[in-house]
Amino acid sequence: MNFLVVLASSRSNGNTAKLSKEIAECLHAQIVDLQELSISYFDYKSRNISDDFIPLVERMVLSDFVVFATPVYWYSMSAQLKTFFDRFTDLLTVNKELGRKLRGMPISVIATGTDAELPSSFTGQFELISNYLGLVYHDPLYCCCPDEFNPQQHQQAIQDFLGKIA
């Protein structure tokens, strides 16, 4: 399978990035770091149509499975990932043909944070987005990292996650 990991964090070398690299290595996946792209906020007049949003969605369409990676910020996804998902409106209005190609695409989320468990508000937003867009949502992987991410500490959870999607 052709996997793509979309990293959406303020730190390209933080805990979420480290988890992303671990997952990408296991899946032989490419990582796209939203920090390295220019994706602007949703614009009703579509003045941002030439930014990096459409090229990234075109890469997603060529993938068999997309994993979104985000830290948990205030019980929610990162601002970078929220901006990216807000732009999906473009796929419902000005670029419908490309948007239709995402229907049925399997996705999941990997996340890091400091809470012992992933908040229900976090998973709920991905379930709702997936249902609305016709994506197939798979259970997320969450790694509690009060300090530095340690892959050995989360090895069983990582293996369980990989077993469900690979």
Side-chain angles (χ1 to χ4, degrees), residues 7-12 14 16-17 33-35 69-71 73 78 80:
L7 174 61
S9 177
S10 294
R11 296 186 304 155
S12 294
T16 305
D33 187 347
L34 292 182
Q35 286 288 94
T70 178
Y73 289 144
S78 68
Q80 293 87 340

Side-chain angles (χ1 to χ4, degrees), residues 7 10 15 19 36 86:
L7 174 61
S10 294
N15 289 335
L19 175 60
E36 297 175 1
D86 284 351

